Amino acid sequence: MSEGPPPAAPHPVPPLAVERLAKAYRTGGRLLPVVGDLTFALARGEIVAIVGPSGCGKTTLLNAVCGLTPVDSGRILWNGAPLDRRGRPPSGIGYMLQKDLLLPWRTALDNVKLGTELRGMPRGQADERARALLDQLGLHGFAGAYPATLSGGMRQRVALARTLINDPDVLLFDEPFAALDFQTKLLIEADTVRLVREGAKSALLITHDIEEAVSIADRVLVLSGRPTAVKASYTIDLDCAPDDMIGARESTGFGDYVRQIWADLDIPRSTLGRAGPGISRAAARS
């Protein structure tokens, strides 16, 4: 008696899944749809970047998936379980914003340890973990420094360490590198990718910077205008190390990804400034 083929292995449950999400706000006496019929999933160990037009609801999406903003319809699943409708945020996530929001009266070490205090972690363990993260992020010797004495890039590194201190499984990033100069941005992007990869974490990055999205992410989702939905999805394959931000930009295919995603955003060329057809930059300056 012949045996049939073995049963197929079950698909792993993604840490985060969003199904047909919709959200509208009431403004000026009328209902403004912001997010409409939005569906995507974040796989374990995956970095997904989301880009879209200004005002399309990217931050609303992040606030919704972590329980800060209630949704009108659809489902948000964390490890296969629906988000608590009572608004309690899911465990095992870290959320990093564009602003570092460091407490000025606390040292870098004490800012990093803030989450451990809320979790009740023993002080010795919290100190050891916080110092190790600061060292990994190039801030050895700055544990006792106050935010006012740190550069913008150093402050963001402290904020990143604070986001990682409780060892979250999923990281949510809302344009955390947008205010940094280009050199500092590349360095912190590389540190972030390295720590995410080494910890086998998943990450969801909201950004307006297409080059940043392509250089960091395994997959880039392009959102439409309001009411937003996923317009396009790109699996990124570059011939460089995952944390090599310069290598990514020099890779074959990088420019093609950027141009395709830019085209998907449907931004009129007239808004970018043009000297006119056939006019070189040098002639336009003369």
Side-chain angles (χ1 to χ4, degrees):
M1 182 177 178
S2 63
E3 296 182 359
H11 291 292
V13 176
L16 172 63
V18 174
E19 299 177 352
R20 308 205 67 175
L21 197 70
K23 174 67 180 177
Y25 291 100
R26 187 165 295 280
T27 176
R30 65 187 183 92
L31 208 58
L32 178 65
V34 176
V35 178
D37 201 22
L38 183 62
T39 297
F40 70 91
L42 175 67
R44 201 164 302 280
E46 183 183 35
I47 300 177
V48 171
I50 293 181
V51 300
S54 294
C56 74
K58 296 185 293 295
T59 297
T60 295
L61 169 62
L62 275 196
N63 288 337
V65 299
C66 62
L68 298 177
T69 297
V71 300
D72 299 329
S73 62
R75 295 202 307 167
I76 299 167
L77 304 173
W78 283 97
N79 295 305
L83 179 69
D84 191 330
R85 289 289 186 176
R86 289 167 291 183
R88 291 187 298 198
S91 60
I93 66 171
Y95 195 168
M96 184 173 173
L97 305 171
Q98 180 177 340
K99 294 182 179 179
D100 58 68
L101 299 179
L102 299 183
L103 301 178
W105 59 88
R106 297 179 68 122
T107 64
L109 182 70
D110 288 338
N111 268 288
V112 173
K113 289 176 12 182
L114 182 61
T116 67
E117 295 169 10
L118 300 175
R119 292 282 184 91
M121 184 183 293
R123 181 176 298 179
Q125 181 184 355
D127 275 358
E128 182 179 353
R129 186 176 291 186
R131 290 183 186 278
L133 280 169
L134 289 173
D135 288 351
Q136 286 178 289
L137 290 168
L139 291 176
H140 180 75
F142 289 92
Y146 286 90
T149 68
L150 301 175
S151 68
M154 295 168 79
R155 290 171 63 105
Q156 282 299 87
R157 286 187 169 93
V158 173
L160 177 58
R162 181 185 58 197
T163 304
L164 294 167
I165 187 71
N166 283 320
D167 195 25
D169 297 319
V170 177
L171 296 162
L172 306 177
F173 294 116
D174 191 359
E175 300 192 71
F177 318 121
L180 301 175
D181 65 83
F182 186 68
Q183 178 182 341
T184 303
K185 175 201 282 271
L186 294 191
L187 293 172
I188 298 183
E189 286 173 353
D191 285 338
T192 301
V193 171
R194 174 175 51 81
L195 290 171
V196 169
R197 301 293 189 194
E198 288 176 355
K201 303 180 185 302
S202 304
L204 187 64
L205 168 70
I206 299 294
T207 180
H208 279 97
D209 187 335
I210 299 174
E211 291 194 2
E212 177 178 88
V214 173
S215 61
I216 286 178
D218 301 303
R219 193 158 47 100
V220 177
L221 303 181
V222 183
L223 301 187
S224 66
R226 296 193 304 261
T228 192
V230 175
K231 182 177 182 180
S233 176
Y234 294 89
T235 299
I236 306 300
D237 184 15
L238 300 175
D239 53 350
C240 65
D243 61 349
D244 185 353
M245 298 298 108
I246 292 295
R249 286 162 170 80
E250 293 175 342
S251 293
T252 303
F254 179 84
D256 292 334
Y257 285 125
V258 171
R259 281 188 290 272
Q260 290 167 13
I261 293 169
W262 180 261
D264 285 331
L265 292 175
D266 287 335
I267 299 174
R269 292 292 298 270
S270 60
T271 65
L272 305 179
R274 296 181 66 183
I279 299 178
S280 68
R281 289 186 177 185
R285 288 194 296 267
S286 62

